[in-house]
Amino acid sequence: MTHRRTSIADMARALNLAPSTVSRALTQYPDVSEATRQRVRQLAAELGYQPNQLAVALRKGSSNTLGVVVPHINGHFFPEVVEGIAEAANEAGYNVMICQSRDDTRQEKKNLELLTNAQVAGLLVSLASTTRDAAHFEALRRADVPLVFFDRALDGLTGSHISSVVIDDYAGAYAAVAHLLAEGYRHIAHFSGPLHVGIFQRRHEGYRQALHDHGLPFREELVFFSELSQQAGATGMRQLLRLSLAPDAVFSSNDLASVGALQVLKEYGLRVPADVALAGFSNAEFTTFTEPPLTTVDQCSRQMGRVAVQQLLHLLHPGSAPGPVHPVRLSPQLLVRASSQRLIPA
Amino acid sequence: MTHRRTSIADMARALNLAPSTVSRALTQYPDVSEATRQRVRQLAAELGYQPNQLAVALRKGSSNTLGVVVPHINGHFFPEVVEGIAEAANEAGYNVMICQSRDDTRQEKKNLELLTNAQVAGLLVSLASTTRDAAHFEALRRADVPLVFFDRALDGLTGSHISSVVIDDYAGAYAAVAHLLAEGYRHIAHFSGPLHVGIFQRRHEGYRQALHDHGLPFREELVFFSELSQQAGATGMRQLLRLSLAPDAVFSSNDLASVGALQVLKEYGLRVPADVALAGFSNAEFTTFTEPPLTTVDQCSRQMGRVAVQQLLHLLHPGSAPGPVHPVRLSPQLLVRASSQRLIPA
DNA sequence: ATGAAAGCGCTAACAC
DNA sequence: GTGTTAGCGCTTTCAT
């Protein structure tokens, strides 16, 4: 037979107390005699009482659940961020509800409704790449739902209940290209994603600025736009190799396209990094397994998750650190591996 | 100023109706005049009414949220399964709450409490590898919480509200080893995880049985036990190469250890697959990037997630397909890649 | 220090 | 077809 869970009312009856007293005994509430508190705690332990969080949340008007919306949880990056989020949230006594937008704005909107209808205490969102229009976030802003964007933020949207944590894509790209230049490469190509996506735009800028700062010209034909799949990386590399002045290095806005390029280079009998150097972005797991291992930019994903939760906690409890919560920009770390080290150490 | 969400009571007041009527108008409930239904729907749309799912769940005694507990969401496998789960759940009108046990039984227990306190309609669980004792699941069984194990199941536990979906590890391992034998390898080593973990035990059995069925002896010194890290794979391979009768193939219970072995083989100047063949398990993303690409066993992860949800839905709504819900065992698919193909096609 | 009562937002049983 | 009432389990005034 189905077992109903013990409620506060049950315990109150058993102990001949009012429900309110039992409730108080189970929380930090001061005005309860130590004796009753003991009795209640004891019984609760015996019966394995667990509060119905639904009821708590309904009464209090807010739950201890945080909502997370990510484009997907494939690959390396988002799972790590989510892990960081889950860790930090649990430590702070919150649990986490995760939805995937599958990079679709409509689905994203549905997810947000779902989560707000579940009365989450706050939201952590990484935007779908198709999202341009911010209408569905306007509603959240008006309802004062605390909201932290991570990785893919909506620049236009600000408010007292909104913050964000992103990585400094510009700095990461700049560091990678500066490194290639320091190694002596001079004809550096770039694989970019669509520029209307912020991260790709900023990585592209970092690339250009690094060239500029080192007195090198920007050559349009060295930039290849694609969705950055492995296939696209291969295609891009083939195309670059057909140029009269072919590049001696490629900085790719992700790692997958780097691998595609690597495979084509091998096909052509070119050596990496002796003939052509490669540097990617994201520190995907497989970058350590390729030959040579790929230089890349680490995105401190777990840290991003933790920081995003910190931001959200500040929004939820302004008491601890009053004043506006400022967006955070994390500095990514360049991981130099064999694919870009021309000078073999002696 | 903070905006309170519109409630059914609000709309009832505005339309001069009883809350119950409004509620009925918004559901499939039959006994409502088409006129009122229209009026209500209209106003709801205007005001952007969204039901408070907390209240609905509290009232109905069960929510439309499914709880998921996974050891972690790193790597390739679990994210894919979770994606399958989320997809199928959303299609069926459920949303999903995900927790990570970090392979720790205590954390797993906490997660289960968290989710049941949140009144989830059902649970999808993949066990932490440290979980031996089933006490915390006994409680769920007694409370009749529908429960589906996936990938890592608890064999001992059965009941009318419990089911499971796993892959046929035995068959997968058998297929991999049979393939190696068919390619002409005769001294096949095995990297295994701890045998108290079911999956490793069954893969180990598949390995032994395949050898046996092909009339080959089981040689204890060819089995290397570890936690199957890349490092462990390297160590294992070194150890195997010191044997007087060294193996000409390795079947590893995961892909990471395979990579470790591959790196050691290259160090020793041995060719893969000419000198030593490699086959792993899991179809990790990086198996296509190694050189040569690694033969492995795909675990149909997304499908597993979808099937797990199907099982759970059957437990939740026995109406559609009455009778007991039987555990499912999915057949994994062997993916033959270059690391195990001795006979180069002409 | 404890109890009584109200109510979070919703739905289902029971009137009419 | 619609209204009235009660209650899911909890917390929080307001009394005493």
Side-chain angles (χ1 to χ4, degrees), chain B residues 57-122:
Chain B
L58 180 60
R59 179 62 235 251
K60 289 202 177 162
S62 165
S63 70
N64 61 340
T65 300
L66 305 183
V68 177
V69 182
V70 283
H72 53 80
I73 51 172
N74 301 327
H76 184 62
F77 179 68
F78 285 115
E80 282 259 319
V81 179
V82 169
E83 199 156 296
I85 288 175
E87 253 178 47
N90 289 343
E91 283 167 19
Y94 287 87
N95 43 322
V96 159
M97 220 157 139
I98 299 167
C99 296
Q100 303 178 69
S101 66
R102 293 186 233 154
D103 258 329
D104 172 34
T105 303
R106 271 190 54 72
Q107 180 67 38
E108 179 175 270
K109 190 178 170 203
K110 274 182 62 182
N111 288 338
L112 292 172
E113 278 171 12
L114 205 81
L115 293 168
T116 48
N117 295 348
Q119 312 295 118
V120 293

Side-chain angles (χ1 to χ4, degrees), chain A residues 7-8 20 23 49 52 56 59:
Chain A
S7 69
I8 285 196
S20 47
S23 170
Y49 167 76
N52 180 334
V56 176
R59 177 66 233 252

Side-chain angles (χ1 to χ4, degrees), chain B residues 7-8 20 23 49 52 56 59:
Chain B
S7 68
I8 285 196
S20 49
S23 172
Y49 167 76
N52 181 333
V56 176
R59 179 62 235 251

Side-chain angles (χ1 to χ4, degrees), chain A residues 120-301:
Chain A
V120 292
L123 287 166
L124 297 145
V125 179
S126 193
L127 288 175
S129 59
T130 58
T131 299
R132 240 52 89 66
D133 170 28
H136 48 306
F137 288 102
E138 252 321 302
L140 293 177
R141 201 184 57 69
R142 278 214 311 284
D144 283 348
V145 181
L147 172 61
V148 174
F149 289 107
F150 60 94
D151 190 50
R152 302 194 197 161
L154 201 52
D155 298 325
L157 202 72
T158 52
S160 61
H161 291 253
I162 296 180
S163 189
S164 64
V165 44
V166 296
I167 67 156
D168 194 334
D169 291 287
Y170 172 88
Y174 191 101
V177 175
H179 156 71
L180 291 170
L181 290 164
E183 293 284 327
Y185 300 98
R186 282 293 170 273
H187 307 287
I188 303 175
H190 178 42
F191 289 169
S192 177
L195 289 187
H196 67 78
V197 181
I199 56 171
F200 297 130
Q201 209 245 307
R202 290 186 291 277
R203 291 172 197 178
H204 180 253
E205 264 175 40
Y207 160 75
R208 291 187 67 150
Q209 191 62 43
L211 290 183
H212 179 82
D213 289 354
H214 290 76
L216 288 171
F218 171 70
R219 291 170 52 199
E220 193 131 7
E221 74 273 22
L222 288 186
V223 178
F224 180 79
F225 290 98
S226 71
E227 81 288 7
L228 296 176
S229 65
Q230 189 178 353
Q231 187 53 50
T235 307
M237 196 68 235
R238 267 187 250 279
Q239 198 160 308
L240 289 171
L241 290 175
R242 278 199 293 271
L243 292 176
S244 52
L245 184 50
D248 59 2
V250 178
F251 165 60
S252 170
S253 263
N254 81 357
D255 289 320
L256 206 51
S258 255
V259 172
L262 177 60
Q263 286 167 338
V264 167
L265 287 168
K266 288 188 178 171
E267 241 176 71
Y268 279 66
L270 293 166
R271 291 160 307 159
V272 176
D275 299 318
V276 178
L278 291 175
F281 209 113
S282 295
N283 189 21
E285 196 186 15
F286 57 75
T287 52
T288 56
F289 300 126
T290 55
E291 286 166 64
L294 291 170
T295 290
T296 188
V297 178
D298 182 62
Q299 299 185 92
C300 22
S301 27

Side-chain angles (χ1 to χ4, degrees), chain B residues 212-343:
Chain B
H212 179 80
D213 289 355
H214 291 75
L216 288 171
F218 170 70
R219 290 171 51 201
E220 192 130 11
E221 73 274 22
L222 288 186
V223 178
F224 180 78
F225 289 98
S226 71
E227 81 287 8
L228 295 176
S229 65
Q230 188 179 352
Q231 187 53 51
T235 307
M237 195 68 235
R238 267 187 250 282
Q239 199 162 308
L240 289 172
L241 290 176
R242 276 200 294 272
L243 293 175
S244 51
L245 182 50
D248 58 2
V250 178
F251 165 61
S252 170
S253 263
N254 81 357
D255 289 320
L256 206 52
S258 257
V259 172
L262 176 61
Q263 285 167 336
V264 167
L265 288 169
K266 288 186 179 174
E267 242 177 68
Y268 278 67
L270 292 166
R271 292 161 305 160
V272 175
D275 299 317
V276 179
L278 291 176
F281 209 112
S282 295
N283 190 20
E285 196 185 13
F286 56 77
T287 51
T288 56
F289 300 127
T290 55
E291 285 165 64
L294 291 170
T295 290
T296 187
V297 178
D298 182 61
Q299 300 185 91
C300 22
S301 27
R302 179 178 308 245
Q303 192 201 351
M304 177 177 291
R306 299 194 66 95
V307 172
V309 171
Q310 276 170 29
Q311 299 264 91
L312 193 52
L313 292 176
H314 283 161
L315 294 174
L316 287 165
H317 314 290
S320 50
V325 176
H326 294 295
V328 170
R329 189 181 297 273
L330 298 173
S331 290
Q333 208 192 339
L334 178 67
L335 300 177
V336 176
R337 304 213 185 92
S339 72
S340 65
Q341 288 180 287
R342 174 172 267 169
L343 316 163

